[in-house]
Amino acid sequence: MRRGFLIGTKWPALLLLALSEVAAMALWFSASAVLPVLTAQYDLSPFQQSLFTSAVQVGFVCGSLVSAFFGLADRLDARRFFSGAAIIAALANAGLLLVEPTSPIVPLFRFITGAAMAGVYPVGMKMAASWAKGDMGLLVGLLVGALTLGSAAPHLFNAMGGLDWRFTLGTASMSAVAAAVSIHFFTMGPNVTAAPRFRPDNMLWAWRIKPLRLANFGYLGHMWELYAMWAWIGVFLSASFELWGAGNGNVGDDSATAAKLATFATIGAGAVGCLAGGYLADRIGRTALTMAAMTVSGVCALTVGLLFGASPWLLVPLCIVWGISIVADSAQFSAAVAELSNRFLVGTMLTLQTAVGFTLTLVTIHLMPVWVESLGWHYAFMPLAIGPFLGVVAMWRLRLHRDSHRMAGGRR
């Protein structure tokens, strides 16, 4: 592509990258967003419901581990890697339209979608970091905010499409194709480095270096909570709105549509948290911001179920606070890893971090139905608070480490 067609100045390039990320990441929860409709129409079991999300997580983990092992995020052209991955993911997602939702091939399509996402999310963060100059937290926050909006988008598509779950899946696939095209107009920033020599043991840096290890432990605490909430908040709100509506004579499509819009608002509000968190972390420090955010989100996990079946005017504001706080810190774990890593291995370290974190999400995504069954919706989210509270401990220890001055210009 000729240079004249590329966007080569910082903020226009980053805006293009963010929009491409939003469009591609719509695939992640495209199937999860239509779970209430699919469950009603096809009588899906709790395990089948979990697979719609967890198969993506497994695929992402496998794709990320392969990418990290071969250093693909640091050795391949970022735009081509992103574009090719988005196309593969879009085709796999569209494949769901060709089979029944109860088909055993559905988890395979979702697995392929997740594996391809390993070429979109971590690569996008590296692309953003190539433009960083004293604003790493904000730039990575911009990318994670885009991921958040992309993850929320299927719930908006779902509300627009009514009961037609095929509309949501088809729109998400077309959105990813658009991302695959638009990313070719992006230009890498001045911080891009030459590709390192292939060494599989580069992956071990994430655990050998104590500051990196602590940053990754903080990220694991965050991930214990995040994707289980994102995957199940729509089902929770749908059930809560239905219960409240039945007691107030407001049942049917109005209650269902309101729940979908509330889910979009809850997850989508996280984009605001990502940007605000990135801005603040560059000024008050990575560890200070992450500890504050995890404390708020942990409290929300403990209390949100107590409002199950209550008025949406009470429940939704708390969910939005949770949606903002639960992801406000996400980018800062990645920013910390980028700052604490060897600059030639930033892509590999980010990819490995996300691979391990998304492996953990499989546990809580599949435990949520168990907790709902045994504890009920009033208490099912409470175990998620364990993660952020342990994450606070890890980030406090990182704050005390001598190398913490390398983050956020010395602001830790």
Side-chain angles (χ1 to χ4, degrees), residues 288-315:
L289 187 282
T290 54
M291 289 189 293
M294 284 190 285
T295 299
V296 174
S297 68
V299 170
C300 288
L302 291 174
T303 57
V304 70
L306 301 179
L307 293 179
F308 178 72
S311 168
W313 295 106
L314 294 174
L315 177 59

Side-chain angles (χ1 to χ4, degrees), residues 236 243 302-309 375-382:
F236 168 78
L243 179 61
L302 291 174
T303 57
V304 70
L306 301 179
L307 293 179
F308 178 72
L375 303 175
W377 276 120
H378 287 93
Y379 307 105
F381 282 122
M382 286 186 176

Side-chain angles (χ1 to χ4, degrees), residues 10 27 50-51 76 184 224 282 337 345:
K10 180 174 180 176
L27 296 172
S50 298
L51 280 177
L76 297 181
H184 284 287
W224 172 266
D282 285 333
V337 164
L345 298 174

